[in-house]
Amino acid sequence: MTTDPLAPLLALADVAPATQRARERFDEALRHRALRRHGGQVAAEVSLRSAVASAALEGYAYEREAVRAGTVTDPVVQGALRVAGALPGLTELWPKAPRQALAKLHVLAARDVVPESELGRPAADPVVGARLDGLAALVAGGTAVSPMVLAAVVHGELLALRPFAGPSGVVARGAARLVLLASGTDPRGLLAVDVGHHEREPEYVGSAGAFATGTPDGLRSWLRHYMTAVEAGADQLTRIGDEVLAAAS
Protein backbone atom coordinates (compact mmCIF):
# COMPACT_ATOMS: atom_id res chain seq x y z
CA MET A 1 0.00 0.00 0.00
CA THR A 2 1.45 3.37 -1.07
CA THR A 3 1.60 6.05 1.60
CA ASP A 4 0.19 9.45 0.63
CA PRO A 5 3.20 11.81 0.78
CA LEU A 6 1.08 14.79 1.85
CA ALA A 7 -1.01 13.01 4.50
CA PRO A 8 1.43 13.90 7.33
CA LEU A 9 0.69 17.59 6.72
CA LEU A 10 -2.80 17.09 8.11
CA ALA A 11 -1.32 15.95 11.42
CA LEU A 12 0.45 19.29 11.92
CA ALA A 13 -1.16 21.43 14.62
CA ASP A 14 -4.32 23.22 13.44
CA VAL A 15 -3.82 22.43 9.75
CA ALA A 16 -6.82 20.11 9.38
CA PRO A 17 -9.20 22.43 11.30
CA ALA A 18 -7.90 25.46 9.40
CA THR A 19 -8.52 23.67 6.11
CA GLN A 20 -12.04 22.78 7.19
CA ARG A 21 -12.76 26.38 8.23
CA ALA A 22 -11.45 27.69 4.92
CA ARG A 23 -13.62 25.29 2.95
CA GLU A 24 -16.71 26.19 4.98
CA ARG A 25 -16.10 29.92 4.52
CA PHE A 26 -15.79 29.46 0.76
CA ASP A 27 -18.89 27.26 0.61
CA GLU A 28 -20.81 29.98 2.45
CA ALA A 29 -19.60 32.64 -0.01
CA LEU A 30 -20.70 30.45 -2.92
CA ARG A 31 -24.30 30.84 -1.75
CA HIS A 32 -24.27 34.57 -2.54
CA ARG A 33 -27.35 35.70 -4.47
CA ALA A 34 -25.24 37.50 -7.08
CA LEU A 35 -23.94 34.19 -8.40
CA ARG A 36 -27.40 33.11 -9.55
CA ARG A 37 -27.73 35.71 -12.28
CA HIS A 38 -24.38 37.53 -12.41
CA GLY A 39 -21.88 34.69 -11.97
CA GLY A 40 -19.91 35.57 -15.08
CA GLN A 41 -19.54 39.19 -14.01
CA VAL A 42 -18.42 38.14 -10.54
CA ALA A 43 -15.88 35.68 -11.97
CA ALA A 44 -14.45 38.36 -14.27
CA GLU A 45 -14.00 40.71 -11.33
CA VAL A 46 -12.34 37.98 -9.24
CA SER A 47 -9.98 37.32 -12.16
CA LEU A 48 -9.04 41.00 -12.44
CA ARG A 49 -8.48 41.45 -8.72
CA SER A 50 -6.48 38.23 -8.52
CA ALA A 51 -4.20 39.36 -11.36
CA VAL A 52 -3.65 42.80 -9.82
CA ALA A 53 -2.82 41.20 -6.46
CA SER A 54 -0.47 38.65 -8.02
CA ALA A 55 1.45 41.35 -9.89
CA ALA A 56 1.67 43.43 -6.71
CA LEU A 57 3.10 40.46 -4.79
CA GLU A 58 5.75 40.24 -7.50
CA GLY A 59 6.66 43.89 -6.82
CA TYR A 60 4.54 45.56 -9.50
CA ALA A 61 1.70 47.27 -7.67
CA TYR A 62 -0.82 49.40 -9.56
CA GLU A 63 -4.27 50.76 -8.79
CA ARG A 64 -6.95 48.29 -9.77
CA GLU A 65 -9.02 50.90 -11.60
CA ALA A 66 -6.04 51.91 -13.72
CA VAL A 67 -5.54 48.28 -14.70
CA ARG A 68 -9.24 47.94 -15.44
CA ALA A 69 -9.11 51.03 -17.64
CA GLY A 70 -6.26 49.55 -19.66
CA THR A 71 -3.81 52.35 -18.93
CA VAL A 72 -1.26 50.07 -17.22
CA THR A 73 1.10 48.58 -19.81
CA ASP A 74 3.61 47.09 -17.37
CA PRO A 75 4.53 43.67 -18.83
CA VAL A 76 4.34 41.87 -15.47
CA VAL A 77 0.81 43.16 -14.91
CA GLN A 78 -0.15 42.21 -18.45
CA GLY A 79 1.36 38.77 -17.87
CA ALA A 80 -0.64 38.31 -14.66
CA LEU A 81 -3.80 39.25 -16.56
CA ARG A 82 -2.99 36.73 -19.29
CA VAL A 83 -2.39 33.99 -16.71
CA ALA A 84 -5.66 34.73 -14.92
CA GLY A 85 -7.58 34.66 -18.19
CA ALA A 86 -6.01 31.42 -19.36
CA LEU A 87 -6.63 29.30 -16.25
CA PRO A 88 -10.08 27.95 -17.23
CA GLY A 89 -8.65 26.70 -20.51
CA LEU A 90 -5.86 24.78 -18.77
CA THR A 91 -7.97 22.72 -16.37
CA GLU A 92 -7.95 19.59 -18.54
CA LEU A 93 -4.22 19.75 -19.29
CA TRP A 94 -3.17 20.40 -15.68
CA PRO A 95 -3.73 16.94 -14.12
CA LYS A 96 -2.54 15.14 -17.27
CA ALA A 97 0.62 17.14 -18.01
CA PRO A 98 1.39 19.52 -15.14
CA ARG A 99 4.85 20.46 -16.37
CA GLN A 100 3.46 21.37 -19.78
CA ALA A 101 0.81 23.52 -18.11
CA LEU A 102 3.48 25.24 -16.00
CA ALA A 103 5.46 25.99 -19.15
CA LYS A 104 2.36 27.55 -20.72
CA LEU A 105 1.79 29.66 -17.61
CA HIS A 106 5.38 30.91 -17.78
CA VAL A 107 5.05 31.83 -21.45
CA LEU A 108 1.96 33.87 -20.56
CA ALA A 109 3.46 35.45 -17.45
CA ALA A 110 6.91 36.30 -18.74
CA ARG A 111 6.32 37.43 -22.32
CA ASP A 112 8.12 40.75 -22.90
CA VAL A 113 9.91 40.29 -19.55
CA VAL A 114 12.51 37.59 -20.29
CA PRO A 115 14.20 36.61 -23.57
CA GLU A 116 12.00 34.51 -25.83
CA SER A 117 14.49 31.63 -25.63
CA GLU A 118 13.77 31.32 -21.88
CA LEU A 119 9.98 31.27 -22.11
CA GLY A 120 8.49 28.04 -20.81
CA ARG A 121 11.89 26.61 -19.89
CA PRO A 122 12.68 25.86 -16.25
CA ALA A 123 16.21 26.21 -14.94
CA ALA A 124 18.54 23.48 -16.16
CA ASP A 125 19.27 22.29 -12.64
CA PRO A 126 18.86 18.58 -11.80
CA VAL A 127 17.59 19.39 -8.30
CA VAL A 128 14.95 21.75 -9.68
CA GLY A 129 14.02 19.19 -12.31
CA ALA A 130 13.63 16.42 -9.76
CA ARG A 131 11.46 18.55 -7.49
CA LEU A 132 9.28 19.62 -10.42
CA ASP A 133 8.85 15.96 -11.32
CA GLY A 134 7.80 15.23 -7.75
CA LEU A 135 5.32 18.08 -7.80
CA ALA A 136 3.93 16.91 -11.12
CA ALA A 137 3.43 13.41 -9.71
CA LEU A 138 1.37 14.85 -6.84
CA VAL A 139 -0.79 16.89 -9.22
CA ALA A 140 -1.31 13.89 -11.50
CA GLY A 141 -2.99 11.87 -8.76
CA GLY A 142 -0.23 11.20 -6.26
CA THR A 143 -2.16 12.45 -3.27
CA ALA A 144 -5.70 12.30 -1.89
CA VAL A 145 -5.48 15.28 0.47
CA SER A 146 -7.84 18.23 0.15
CA PRO A 147 -7.23 20.23 -3.05
CA MET A 148 -6.73 23.27 -0.84
CA VAL A 149 -3.78 21.56 0.82
CA LEU A 150 -2.41 20.47 -2.55
CA ALA A 151 -2.81 24.02 -3.88
CA ALA A 152 -0.86 25.33 -0.90
CA VAL A 153 1.93 22.81 -1.50
CA VAL A 154 2.12 23.58 -5.23
CA HIS A 155 2.21 27.29 -4.47
CA GLY A 156 4.81 27.02 -1.73
CA GLU A 157 7.06 24.65 -3.66
CA LEU A 158 7.05 26.82 -6.78
CA LEU A 159 7.81 29.91 -4.70
CA ALA A 160 10.70 28.08 -3.06
CA LEU A 161 12.09 26.75 -6.34
CA ARG A 162 11.40 29.78 -8.57
CA PRO A 163 12.21 27.47 -11.47
CA PHE A 164 11.43 30.02 -14.18
CA ALA A 165 13.12 33.30 -15.07
CA GLY A 166 11.29 36.53 -14.45
CA PRO A 167 7.91 36.65 -12.65
CA SER A 168 8.02 33.08 -11.38
CA GLY A 169 5.74 34.01 -8.48
CA VAL A 170 2.96 34.82 -10.93
CA VAL A 171 3.35 31.26 -12.25
CA ALA A 172 3.22 29.85 -8.71
CA ARG A 173 0.04 31.69 -7.85
CA GLY A 174 -1.56 30.77 -11.17
CA ALA A 175 -0.69 27.10 -10.65
CA ALA A 176 -2.22 27.13 -7.16
CA ARG A 177 -5.47 28.58 -8.52
CA LEU A 178 -5.35 25.97 -11.27
CA VAL A 179 -5.33 23.20 -8.66
CA LEU A 180 -8.58 24.56 -7.27
CA LEU A 181 -10.21 24.98 -10.67
CA ALA A 182 -9.17 21.60 -12.06
CA SER A 183 -10.14 19.70 -8.90
CA GLY A 184 -13.67 21.06 -8.97
CA THR A 185 -13.15 22.93 -5.70
CA ASP A 186 -13.51 26.25 -7.51
CA PRO A 187 -14.51 25.37 -11.09
CA ARG A 188 -15.71 28.89 -11.94
CA GLY A 189 -12.63 30.66 -10.58
CA LEU A 190 -14.51 32.56 -7.87
CA LEU A 191 -12.02 32.28 -5.00
CA ALA A 192 -9.85 35.41 -4.84
CA VAL A 193 -7.14 33.73 -2.78
CA ASP A 194 -4.37 35.93 -4.24
CA VAL A 195 -6.18 38.96 -2.86
CA GLY A 196 -5.97 37.26 0.51
CA HIS A 197 -2.22 36.74 0.07
CA HIS A 198 -1.78 40.40 -0.86
CA GLU A 199 -3.82 41.62 2.11
CA ARG A 200 -1.42 39.73 4.38
CA GLU A 201 1.73 40.27 2.35
CA PRO A 202 4.28 40.29 5.22
CA GLU A 203 2.82 37.02 6.52
CA TYR A 204 2.77 35.64 2.97
CA VAL A 205 6.45 36.39 2.44
CA GLY A 206 7.47 35.16 5.89
CA SER A 207 5.51 31.93 5.78
CA ALA A 208 6.68 31.18 2.23
CA GLY A 209 10.24 31.48 3.49
CA ALA A 210 9.35 29.19 6.38
CA PHE A 211 7.87 26.64 3.95
CA ALA A 212 11.13 26.63 2.01
CA THR A 213 12.99 25.36 5.10
CA GLY A 214 10.99 22.12 4.93
CA THR A 215 10.66 21.92 8.70
CA PRO A 216 7.35 20.90 10.30
CA ASP A 217 6.98 24.38 11.82
CA GLY A 218 7.74 25.98 8.47
CA LEU A 219 5.22 23.84 6.62
CA ARG A 220 2.59 24.49 9.30
CA SER A 221 3.19 28.24 9.11
CA TRP A 222 2.66 28.30 5.35
CA LEU A 223 -0.41 26.05 5.40
CA ARG A 224 -2.06 28.11 8.11
CA HIS A 225 -1.34 31.30 6.16
CA TYR A 226 -2.73 29.76 2.99
CA MET A 227 -6.00 28.78 4.64
CA THR A 228 -6.32 32.26 6.14
CA ALA A 229 -5.83 33.66 2.64
CA VAL A 230 -8.57 31.34 1.36
CA GLU A 231 -10.93 32.76 3.98
CA ALA A 232 -9.98 36.30 2.96
CA GLY A 233 -10.55 35.32 -0.67
CA ALA A 234 -14.00 34.03 0.21
CA ASP A 235 -14.76 37.31 1.98
CA GLN A 236 -13.61 39.14 -1.15
CA LEU A 237 -16.06 37.07 -3.20
CA THR A 238 -18.85 38.17 -0.88
CA ARG A 239 -17.85 41.82 -1.23
CA ILE A 240 -17.74 41.53 -5.02
CA GLY A 241 -21.15 39.90 -4.99
CA ASP A 242 -22.55 42.74 -2.87
CA GLU A 243 -21.05 45.33 -5.26
CA VAL A 244 -22.47 43.59 -8.33
CA LEU A 245 -25.96 43.41 -6.80
CA ALA A 246 -25.79 47.06 -5.75
CA ALA A 247 -24.77 48.11 -9.26
CA ALA A 248 -27.57 46.06 -10.80
CA SER A 249 -30.29 47.48 -8.55
Side-chain angles (χ1 to χ4, degrees), residues 201-241:
E201 185 171 2
E203 181 183 282
Y204 174 78
V205 173
S207 61
F211 176 92
T213 66
T215 64
D217 282 346
L219 297 173
R220 173 176 172 270
S221 173
W222 170 251
L223 289 164
R224 290 186 64 183
H225 160 78
Y226 189 89
M227 299 311 159
T228 301
V230 167
E231 292 192 54
D235 291 345
Q236 184 73 197
L237 170 58
T238 299
R239 284 196 289 274
I240 292 170

Side-chain angles (χ1 to χ4, degrees), residues 116-144:
E116 191 169 341
S117 61
E118 296 182 19
L119 292 176
R121 298 178 180 274
D125 180 323
V127 174
V128 170
R131 287 177 66 173
L132 284 177
D133 285 342
L135 201 61
L138 290 173
V139 170
T143 181

